[in-house]
Amino acid sequence: MMVEIHNVLNKMVEILQQLIEILHTEQMILLESNPAHKLSNIIDEKNQLLISLKILDEQRIAMGKQQKIESPYHDNPSLSCQWVSIVETTALLAQMNRENGAILQNRMDKAQQAIDFLNKLNNPNVYTNGGYQPTETVSTTRAKV
């Protein structure tokens, strides 16, 4: 049973490492000029890894209850070392997530500033939500090329 907990912790470490890569990629996308279409895939990947991590953690807790051991596993140096790695990696992921959140908030603030500026112009309805000026008529027929 101790081997099973060890294997679960190893899988958790692997998933956390994948999350580091995904958050790094997410940060690079957020720093690009037009990231919206690329973020969807990253969010999906991140969510799948988080679900897998939650399942593994539930398994770890259940196995620990059966064996009457729990984190931080002071009585087992091997498990304890793995647990320290998990805790440290989790702290790094939390920091990366905060940084990505700050980048995203900054982008949203700039977009809001641009909207506010446009709204202050003489014509407060410069563009509709669809990206057209309110006086424009959009044709629903397409030209054949």
Side-chain angles (χ1 to χ4, degrees), residues 9 12 16 25 31 38 40 45 54 95 99 103 114-115:
L9 292 175
M12 289 176 73
L16 291 171
T25 302
L31 293 171
K38 295 179 182 178
S40 177
E45 286 180 55
K54 182 176 178 10
Q95 178 62 35
E99 290 170 1
I103 293 168
I115 290 169

Side-chain angles (χ1 to χ4, degrees), residues 59-74:
Q59 290 174 357
R60 175 192 67 82
I61 291 168
M63 287 181 211
K65 285 180 181 178
Q66 289 175 349
Q67 292 292 310
K68 295 183 172 61
I69 60 172
E70 58 183 39
S71 60
Y73 308 112
H74 291 302

Side-chain angles (χ1 to χ4, degrees), residues 79-132:
L79 294 179
S80 180
C81 183
Q82 286 178 298
W83 188 250
V84 167
S85 175
I86 288 170
V87 170
E88 290 173 353
T89 304
T90 302
L92 174 64
L93 285 165
Q95 178 62 35
M96 291 176 75
N97 201 46
R98 281 190 297 275
E99 290 170 1
N100 288 359
I103 293 168
L104 184 58
Q105 185 62 51
N106 186 19
R107 290 183 68 95
M108 289 171 44
D109 291 345
K110 286 182 180 183
Q112 187 60 51
Q113 289 171 0
I115 290 169
D116 293 344
F117 174 77
L118 291 173
N119 284 335
K120 288 179 184 176
L121 296 175
N122 289 338
N123 183 358
N125 295 318
V126 176
Y127 293 101
T128 66
N129 288 341
Y132 300 102

Side-chain angles (χ1 to χ4, degrees), residues 20-36:
I20 287 174
E21 292 173 23
I22 286 176
L23 285 177
H24 180 70
T25 302
E26 180 181 66
Q27 189 174 72
M28 294 297 105
I29 291 170
L30 287 170
L31 293 171
E32 290 179 3
S33 60
N34 190 7

Side-chain angles (χ1 to χ4, degrees), residues 34-45:
N34 190 7
H37 67 283
K38 295 179 182 178
L39 280 178
S40 177
N41 292 337
I42 291 295
I43 291 169
D44 290 343
E45 286 180 55

